[in-house]
Amino acid sequence: MGTEANPQQLHVDTYLVASGRPGRSPGASVNVPVELTSTYAADGAVNYARSGNPTWNAFEEALGGLEGGRALVHASGMGAISAALSLVPARGTVLAPDTTYNGTGDLLDAHEQAGGTVVRVHATDTAGFLAALESADLLWLESPTNPLMDVTELDVVLARSRELGVTSVVDNTLSTPLLCRPLSLGADVVVHSVTKYLSGHSDVVLGATVVGDTERGREIGERLRRHRTLHGAIAGPMEVFLALRGLRTLAVRFERASASAAELARRLEGHPSVARVRYPGSGAILSIDVAGDADAAERVCAATRLWLHSTSLGGVESQLERRRRHPSESREVPANLLRLSVGIEHVDDLWADLDRALAAV
Ligand SMILES: Cc1ncc(COP(=O)(O)O)c(C=O)c1O
């Protein structure tokens, strides 16, 4: 790529617009093209498209700069998570929060069923993490956790993990690099469901891993790249093109959605149909425990007209879901909890729809 964008010299919103572009030669395209090919003429940098693609390179350059490392794009967030979990030995010990994104939770259960060990600590129990790190092979963190919105002291836990040489992974999907850059806190690997905020328009399923630009980071990055190539969970160039287009507006979307989330959290506090608001103080996701049972929470989802009742998050459209409707969701998640992903609509329209739907409790 011939971009001149340097994340060290630009504000992040400028970098998002400028990075991952073709060089500025006369007549050059402003966007990297969607390169549809399965193979390349011999003796070039890449010979087969399961190993690389110029459209991937542009996205990887942009995301790598954002996180302060080197990125790899994967077929989905789960593809990225699977690659990161391949870093733990088959019978090794993973230390993780007791509630994570449920797909990750299912893979951790599978690790245990295959003879490995998983030590689970409450996300806010810093002392518990520090003690359990002594015998861990891999530390898995998510902050805030999905959907309980618990915040782990990443800096403290990651610093100790680094001291002990324990490989650490942070799922940064909910925070995005705008709120948190885990590599700068000592993480070895960042994973993303690019499907969510980075793409931002609910039209793409994609994932990414990012490692530090250090000798250790490059060594881990090569293992992740090998996993991607050999297991074959690779991204389609069209999806990557769309993700890079979405990334251009990440700062504007996230700023707007975060401001609305803060305002909705404030208005929901003390609402007669809401027993508890779980909002970590930043970001665009919050969860609420409705003042009623699971059926009451389902009625709220069915009653919204603007909020979309659906299972994803991070799109321009606001979405809500009762997470326990998924049998694999952690039992730590209350049955009456609704996760709200705040989009970029006008906050007063969002409030009017939610307030009216909450009457269904
Ligand atoms: C925090 C988090 N990580 C990972 C994933 C999985 O990503 P994908 O659906 O792109 O495979 C999700 C999906 O909801 C998620 O919320």
Side-chain angles (χ1 to χ4, degrees):
M1 287 289 104
T3 180
E4 283 119 46
N6 179 345
Q8 263 65 56
Q9 287 162 6
L10 295 173
H11 293 90
V12 70
D13 27 14
T14 311
Y15 177 77
L16 283 165
V17 174
S19 59
R21 302 271 188 199
R24 293 192 171 191
S25 55
S29 165
V30 69
N31 292 307
V32 69
V34 182
E35 191 143 314
L36 294 171
T37 187
S38 61
T39 192
Y40 301 87
D43 300 329
V46 181
N47 61 9
Y48 191 54
R50 184 154 36 76
S51 315
N53 175 295
T55 318
W56 295 3
N57 297 347
F59 177 81
E60 289 173 346
E61 178 189 305
L63 179 61
L66 262 185
E67 287 284 8
R70 295 156 76 99
L72 290 174
V73 65
H74 298 257
S76 61
M78 288 307 291
I81 289 169
S82 301
L85 281 175
S86 76
L87 297 171
V88 70
R91 292 185 174 272
T93 299
V94 182
L95 170 60
D98 55 13
T99 305
T100 57
Y101 164 61
N102 67 339
T104 306
D106 286 352
L107 285 184
L108 293 176
D109 291 349
H111 177 68
E112 271 181 318
Q113 280 149 21
T117 301
V118 179
V119 177
R120 295 178 178 83
V121 170
H122 193 267
T124 59
D125 180 5
T126 305
F129 273 112
L130 296 184
L133 263 174
E134 307 276 337
S135 53
D137 296 300
L138 185 129
L139 168 69
W140 190 276
L141 294 174
E142 199 178 275
S143 191
T145 57
N146 179 5
L148 289 178
M149 308 310 293
D150 287 325
V151 177
T152 300
E153 280 191 279
L154 287 188
D155 49 348
V156 179
V157 179
L158 287 170
R160 183 67 184 141
S161 183
R162 175 55 49 114
E163 263 170 32
L164 293 169
V166 176
T167 305
S168 55
V169 184
V170 178
D171 184 333
N172 204 27
T173 301
L174 263 58
S175 288
T176 84
L178 300 182
L179 283 185
C180 179
R181 294 168 84 235
L183 297 178
S184 71
L185 302 175
D188 289 311
V189 184
V190 172
V191 301
H192 278 286
S193 170
V194 177
T195 313
K196 311 298 195 276
Y197 289 108
L198 302 185
S199 295
H201 295 75
S202 306
D203 51 8
V204 155
V205 174
L206 209 64
T209 51
V210 195
V211 295
D213 199 1
T214 58
E215 198 181 325
R216 179 180 167 90
R218 280 190 288 277
E219 187 261 317
I220 294 174
E222 273 320 302
R223 291 171 64 190
L224 297 172
R225 182 188 295 278
R226 188 176 152 77
H227 187 278
R228 178 180 72 175
T229 303
L230 296 182
H231 289 250
I234 58 156
M238 189 65 203
E239 280 79 358
V240 181
F241 175 88
L242 287 172
L244 184 54
R245 188 169 73 157
L247 199 63
R248 304 284 178 221
T249 56
L250 172 67
V252 184
R253 289 184 283 107
F254 199 68
E255 204 175 292
R256 169 65 171 263
S258 299
S260 296
E263 178 59 21
L264 292 175
R266 193 184 65 72
R267 294 188 195 182
L268 286 163
E269 241 2 298
H271 191 288
S273 299
V274 177
R276 179 170 174 186
V277 178
R278 300 166 186 265
Y279 170 64
S282 58
I285 310 273
L286 61 147
S287 294
I288 54 173
D289 301 1
V290 301
D293 58 8
D295 289 343
E298 287 289 342
R299 285 198 297 277
V300 175
C301 296
T304 58
R305 292 184 197 138
L306 188 57
W307 291 76
L308 178 70
H309 180 203
S310 79
T311 196
S312 198
L313 59 93
V316 289
E317 64 291 309
S318 294
Q319 304 171 54
L320 87 172
E321 185 183 39
R322 187 179 76 84
R323 287 300 295 169
R324 279 283 296 282
R325 66 175 13 226
H326 301 283
S328 68
E329 186 57 275
S330 162
R331 299 285 122 175
E332 302 288 319
V333 176
N336 60 349
L337 177 144
L338 295 178
R339 185 184 65 199
L340 310 183
S341 168
V342 181
I344 63 168
E345 305 92 334
H346 197 287
V347 67
D348 288 339
D349 294 330
L350 291 176
W351 173 248
D353 192 43
L354 194 58
D355 186 34
R356 194 187 41 72
L358 280 166
V361 168

